[in-house]
Amino acid sequence: MAYANVIVDISVDKLDKTFQYRIPEELENRIKPGVQVDIPFGNRRLTGYVVEVTDTPEFDETRIKPLFGIHGGSVPMESQLIALAAWIRKNYGSTMNQALKAVLPIRRKTKEIEKRKILLNKSREEAARLLVLYEEKHYTAKARLLRELLQSGGNPLDYTYAVGQLRLTAATIRSLEKDGIITIVSSTHYRNPVSHLEQKEYCLTLNENQRQVTEAILKDIREGKAQTYLLKGVTGSGKTEVYMELIAHVIAGGKQAIVLIPEIALTYQTVMRFYNRFGDRVSIMNSRLSQGERYDQYERAKAGDIDIMIGPRSALFAPFANLGLIIIDEEHENSYKSETAPCYHARNVAIERAKMCHAAVVLGSATPSVESYYQAQMGNYHLLELNERVQKKPLPDCEIVDLREELKLGNRSILSERLQELMEERLKNHEQIMLFLNRRGISSFISCRSCGNVVKCPHCDVSLSQHEGNRLVCHYCGYETIMPKVCPSCGSKYLGGFKAGTQKIEMLVQKRFPEARILRMDYDSTRTKDSYEKILKTFSHHEADILIGTQMIVKGHDFADVTLVGVLAADMSLHVPDFHAAERTFQLLTQAVGRAGRGNRPGQAVIQTYDPEHFALQAAAKQDYEAFYRQEIAYRELMHYPPVWNLLLISCAGSEEAETGKAAAVIAKLLQDRILPEVSKMGRILLVGPSDASIAKINDIYRKVIYMKGEDYQALVSAKDALEPYFRENKAFSHVTIQFNFNPTSGF
Ligand code: ADP
Ligand code: ZN
Ligand code: ZN
């Protein structure tokens, strides 16, 4: 017997609430997740969506009613998204409910936002007379409002502005309304996050390379052969212009487009470029939008008010009825992988969604992920390249400086002689400099010089980082404390910070170049809203000479006056326990180097390192992707790592260490004894663990991990499917949270 779990209302936060119906035998083949069905509900007939098909009845079988049938008429947008959720659940492992919540925006049953406006109900002369009267009588609040209305020249005033900035009480406003002096009008309206932008004239013609790439994709689209494209284009080669050209064609054909951009690169600058070309047909989603605003964007997309949705990972689920194109810019970015269940990768989900509606997917990057480049080599993605910068601007010259040699020569500064020399020259010429510190906080931990104890977060298994104002901060849970006077372990007073974080570097650089105007962009300096944009703006207006920062500064910003990029300690990111370390280092350095010489003057870069021979650094200095890829893929192959093989990380998390460890041991044994003998027929599988996660405790929760390396992705999916029933039955798992992560990009 087959049963369908059905949700009746997806507009409220009740996705957990499914109702189970029996599937009539004749419909068994046609009922799938996403299908809209008619169901008996009390004594009413309602429609709902199938979210799951199962053979396990949730309660007494005889009391489960059969569903009436498949709902006729058009297929609603939600059906596609629910089917996508089912695919995500299946391929990434999570509950159906978690998958639905990732895919559908939930409207809470709050009142619809109304925007109230205050209008002046009197002529200007009359209002002016009243104002004099109020002032005489010291009705200061009423006078403030009237003055503001007079000054606004007949424009209505925002109610919230009146209450907020003008500090008026609701009673005052009401009393003016009652006297007939003002009117309050309200309208429910969609909140449009880009409505305050001003559209500029757009004019630009693609160069020959851009045109060829664009045409190759459009030709496939015209012939109904849209597929997945990997657009590999060096920094500044004009990829964004290619995206916009493609979008223009797709829209002209009556379809819509989704553009994924990592949140950190989703700046005013980027949004403006799309807005200048497409105006009001563009909307954005980002984490700064309120839940209500997000929901509105969803509604606007569904209603056909917009054609383009720009945003991070979650924008992928914009409910466009006729989706023609999905673009993933900076496709190598880690943030496209969700780290909470369901741990999906936006790239693969995009490809699946595109398949459902015959849309094209364009993955763009100057430094494609090893994964995507491998897929292109295997013929699964169509590789397209832009190997030259627009208008043939040269790529920057890059030198590698060996820091060990510097030390031998007696230079203990964080700036090598060569970098100092170049910086001096740039400052003299009024050109700008970027200094990139690879990774935040990593070098700013506190340790005891007597006993070697490192000061750690009491809730997490990580060292605390030193911040401004003698604070120590945990970057995992936000725990904060002040710097202890003596070592918590041995009482020694020789506690000290190690090497330099960005703040320390700022101090040292300022000391070396007292005249230079320096900006710093890191965790501390960007904590307040808008501070990020402000720093970028200041720098792009050349109101500072040097920008010092972490990864945040290397992402897609175009500063025309930057002619020198210094990478201070390039190898830092090589020494993290993650097989992506070399890939990530190569990407960061290539992007960082690519920041130089974007304007009219050629750029230069200096990579300082203790490991000058490392292939990732060598390749980044030459901006040679192929050289990097050849070495890296050989290593992945040798180690059975993705993308050649696949990796499934099973993590167990619980507040009791012993219990958590036991759950992990039970899983490993189940896999070894019962599951792997069966599923490894599909392809070889290697089991690793259980062991502590590389960060064994976060927020007082202990974490144990088990890995499986598998030749075949679906074999790993089958292993996950075979494990799941045990979690419901076995008591060992009752207080432990189990999470699956396929091809994880971090968290080892
Ligand atoms: P990418 O996305 O590959 O880094 P962009 O699309 O941002 O490259 O282009 C880099 C710069 O060159 C931008 O300022 C852009 O406006 C400009 N540009 C791109 N294509 C052209 C073109 N065909 N003609 C003139 N300028 C262009
Ligand atoms: Zn000590
Ligand atoms: Zn912590």
Side-chain angles (χ1 to χ4, degrees), residues 448 450-453 487 489-492:
C448 169
S450 302
C451 76
N453 171 53
C487 168
S489 165
C490 77
S492 150

Side-chain angles (χ1 to χ4, degrees), residues 234-235 366-367 395-400 436 438 565 567 570-571 573-574 581-595 604-609 611-629:
V234 294
T235 49
T367 52
L395 283 167
D397 264 338
C398 185
E399 304 169 32
I400 294 182
F436 169 51
N438 206 352
V565 168
V567 180
D571 29 299
S573 58
L574 285 174
E583 178 178 1
R584 204 132 311 136
T585 303
F586 173 78
Q587 286 162 350
L588 276 171
L589 297 188
T590 311
Q591 305 264 349
V593 169
R595 291 303 117 208
Q604 224 169 340
V606 172
I607 295 180
Q608 303 188 155
T609 175
D611 194 358
E613 303 304 322
H614 195 284
F615 76 96
L617 305 193
Q618 291 276 345
K622 295 194 199 92
Q623 305 258 310
D624 187 348
Y625 183 88
E626 317 293 322
F628 161 75
Y629 177 81

Side-chain angles (χ1 to χ4, degrees), residues 204-207 210 233-241 273 390-391 558 598:
L204 191 147
T205 26
L206 296 186
N207 64 30
Q210 289 169 315
V234 294
T235 49
S237 59
K239 294 184 291 296
T240 310
E241 296 299 331
R273 285 180 73 179
V390 169
Q391 292 154 350
D558 236 344
R598 309 270 284 195

Side-chain angles (χ1 to χ4, degrees), residues 417-483:
E417 289 295 338
R418 180 63 178 149
L419 185 54
Q420 291 184 35
E421 190 184 311
L422 290 172
M423 285 175 72
E424 210 157 312
E425 193 184 299
R426 297 310 140 108
L427 291 171
K428 217 178 288 161
N429 296 343
H430 302 288
E431 295 171 9
Q432 285 178 301
I433 302 162
M434 284 168 92
L435 294 180
F436 169 51
L437 177 71
N438 206 352
R439 228 148 232 243
R440 110 193 163 198
I442 197 163
S443 57
S444 58
F445 61 90
I446 298 296
S447 68
C448 169
R449 301 215 176 119
S450 302
C451 76
N453 171 53
V454 173
V455 183
K456 285 190 167 185
C457 171
H459 309 289
C460 308
D461 177 35
V462 293
S463 53
L464 293 172
S465 300
Q466 197 175 7
H467 286 258
E468 247 159 336
N470 251 347
R471 292 177 301 129
L472 298 182
V473 179
C474 171
H475 285 179
Y476 284 81
C477 74
Y479 171 83
E480 245 190 74
T481 182
I482 53 161
M483 169 99 171

